[in-house]
Every structure is written in structure tokens, then in C-alpha cells.
Amino acid sequence: MSHYVGSRLKTDIAITKLYTVHYFEYPKNFKFTGESHNFWELVYTDKGTITVFSDDKSYTLKQGNIVFHKPNEWHNIHSDSKEATNVAIVSFECMSPAMKYFENKILSAGQDQKTIMSKIISEYTGAFSTPLDNPYTNHLVRKQNPTIGSEQLIRQYIAELLISFLRDVSPIHQRSQMSINRESSLVNMVVNYMLDHITENISIYDLVKYTGSNKTTISSVFKNTFGMSVMEYFINLKIDMAKKYLREDNYNISQISEILGYSGIHYFSRQFKKVTGMSPSEYSSSIKAMITNI
């Protein structure tokens, strides 16, 4: 006969509802009209710089910064006047007392927290059909055939993100992450090299030579961190830069193709459509339509 007694697991952060998940690619000088609602919202600057207004305060968020808006707090976003910006927004219900910590906080996301943000967005696309870039979303439409466990993972990842920030300030939290830190250092080194050579056509062997690591390690770390190969990541960086140029509207498509080191506009357009699902001209038109509708 069993004499085991189960322990009911404590929940410090309980995510009870998801309202929206967004990933916006704002053109320069973009201004949102502002809103307030009775649930939490986090705003993460993935690229560029934005100004966030909340009640009577304003904050400048640079790449990697994240701000939390508490329930019923009026808030607004203005993008930078000189460059386009990418912003992720997640709004959710959480009644846990620990959320008090996030009021009026601007935090800086480390590589682990950036990875969690990307996982939230990835799982969202597996669970819901509501577009990420629809600013008027007021309810989420579930997919007819969602990826199994996607909603549960969204809840877990949001909680994990919040807990990771709380642990950063906890005096009793001790990290033993030497291998994780080494991987993060390698990722940062490779990504910085890619950004410095974004206008060139580099190979994985260039990365091996630069980092002193080996092809297998680099490939494995990128697959584990981003879910894609290292060269797929580089292509995505190029296309992200192309989208930024299109939103800033300083160059035409042919010029952007040349700036980013493509051999021709047709190859650039094919790669752009493979990554984004639309041609450069279609993307540019969608951005202009967004500005008109806001």
C-alpha cells in the first residue's frame, strides 16, 4: 500500500487570460492613438527606438527594452522619427501579487528572455489565426487545427518570462549557467558579426574563422536558440533590414537589393517573398495602408 503524499505545487505567477499578441513593424514617425484596459500589457522593442507614454509619464525604449503597463493605465506609442522599429506586444490577465514589481518598470531583456519572447510569438501563430499585425484586435480567433499544447505553452512562457525578471532581483537566486552563458556569448558574437557584414554574402565558414568555434557547435546553438539554421538566421536579418528600409521609404526596391549585396532584384524579391509571404512592393503597400488606417 502506498504512503506517498503529493505536494500541491505553488503558483507565484498565474496567467489566467490572453488578450492579444502583436508583432508590429512600424514605419518611422508612426503614432498610435493610445488606449487603456483592465489587464496587463508588455511592450518589447525588438529593433529601433520608441517612445512610450503612460498616464503622465514618458519613456524611451531602445532595442531590448521592455516596459509593462498595469491594468487601467493609459498608454501610447510613438516610433522614432529617423528609423523604422519592430515592437512585440503581449496583453494578458494576471492577478498574482508578484505583479506589483512590474509597475512603472523598464527592464532590459537578456538573450534568454529574448528567446522566450520569440517562443510566445511562435506558439501564438500555432494556436490562433488572428494576425499579429492587426492593431484593432479585440478578441482572438482559434485555429481549426491548432498545434497541440500551444495555448498551454503561451501561458507557461509568459509566466517564465515574468519569473525570469523577478529572479534577476531576488537576493536568494543563484545562477549556475556557465554553459548557457557560453552559448549566449557565441550567439551574440555571431549575430554582431552578421550585422556588421549585413551588406555582404558571408558563409558559415566565415563565422567559424571569426569565432574560433566549429561548424557543428555554431549550427547546434543557433538551432536550439532560434529554431533555424545559422544561415537561415542571416537571411532573415537581411530581410528584416530590407523591411526597415522599405518602411523608412528612403530607397527604392532596386537600391535596397543592391545595398544588401544581392546579385539582382529578382533574386532579392524571391528571397523576400519566401521569408515574408509577400513581395517587397506588396509589403511596402501594406505599410502605407496601415498608416492610412490608424
Side-chain angles (χ1 to χ4, degrees), residues 10 45 72 84 130 135 160 162 188 195 215 230 249 254 260:
K10 182 182 177 183
T45 308
N72 300 312
T130 308
E160 182 181 356
L162 299 174
N188 289 334
L195 291 172
K215 178 182 175 182
V230 64
D249 201 25
S254 179
L260 292 175

Side-chain angles (χ1 to χ4, degrees), residues 133-151:
D133 60 352
N134 181 2
Y136 303 107
T137 296
N138 56 22
H139 73 283
L140 300 179
V141 179
R142 288 183 168 91
K143 284 188 170 180
Q144 291 186 347
N145 297 299
T147 304
I148 186 168
S150 53
E151 291 190 33

Side-chain angles (χ1 to χ4, degrees), residues 114-176:
K114 292 176 183 178
T115 300
I116 296 171
M117 282 296 305
S118 68
K119 288 180 177 179
I120 293 170
I121 293 170
S122 176
E123 292 300 333
Y124 172 84
T125 59
F128 299 98
S129 58
T130 308
L132 285 163
D133 60 352
N134 181 2
Y136 303 107
T137 296
N138 56 22
H139 73 283
L140 300 179
V141 179
R142 288 183 168 91
K143 284 188 170 180
Q144 291 186 347
N145 297 299
T147 304
I148 186 168
S150 53
E151 291 190 33
Q152 182 176 348
L153 286 174
I154 292 169
R155 182 171 63 243
Q156 290 178 199
Y157 287 142
I158 295 174
E160 182 181 356
L161 179 69
L162 299 174
I163 290 169
S164 72
F165 282 120
L166 290 169
R167 284 189 169 187
D168 281 345
V169 297
S170 172
I172 62 172
H173 178 58
Q174 298 180 351
R175 297 176 181 237
S176 57

Side-chain angles (χ1 to χ4, degrees), residues 67-79:
V67 67
F68 291 82
H69 297 301
K70 63 187 176 183
N72 300 312
E73 178 180 78
W74 181 88
H75 52 277
N76 192 7
I77 292 178
H78 292 182
S79 69

Side-chain angles (χ1 to χ4, degrees), residues 213-266:
S213 187
N214 58 67
K215 178 182 175 182
T216 301
T217 298
I218 294 173
S219 299
S220 176
V221 167
F222 266 74
K223 191 71 175 177
N224 292 336
T225 304
F226 300 110
M228 65 181 70
S229 74
V230 64
M231 296 319 298
E232 284 177 318
Y233 187 86
F234 183 57
I235 291 169
N236 277 269
L237 281 182
K238 276 184 175 283
I239 299 306
D240 280 347
M241 185 63 71
K243 291 194 291 185
K244 178 177 179 291
Y245 285 144
L246 286 168
R247 298 198 305 278
E248 291 173 353
D249 201 25
N250 293 327
Y251 304 105
N252 61 38
I253 295 171
S254 179
Q255 289 172 321
I256 293 171
S257 171
E258 185 176 347
I259 289 170
L260 292 175
Y262 283 93
S263 57
I265 189 172
H266 297 297

Side-chain angles (χ1 to χ4, degrees), residues 7 9 11 17 80 95 100 108 131 140 142 166 170 186 189 213 232 239 241 249 254 288 292:
S7 296
L9 297 176
T11 302
K17 290 181 183 178
D80 191 87
M95 303 296 187
K100 183 71 176 176
S108 183
L140 300 179
R142 288 183 168 91
L166 290 169
S170 172
L186 178 60
M189 187 183 297
S213 187
E232 284 177 318
I239 299 306
M241 185 63 71
D249 201 25
S254 179
K288 290 174 181 176
T292 302

Side-chain angles (χ1 to χ4, degrees), residues 14-42:
I15 308 301
T16 47
K17 290 181 183 178
L18 180 72
Y19 287 93
T20 61
V21 175
H22 292 298
Y23 191 87
F24 293 121
E25 298 175 331
Y26 292 137
K28 58 184 180 181
N29 286 317
F30 174 84
K31 294 183 180 181
F32 184 61
T33 53
E35 63 178 358
S36 64
H37 39 64
N38 63 347
F39 45 84
W40 283 91
E41 180 176 297
L42 67 85

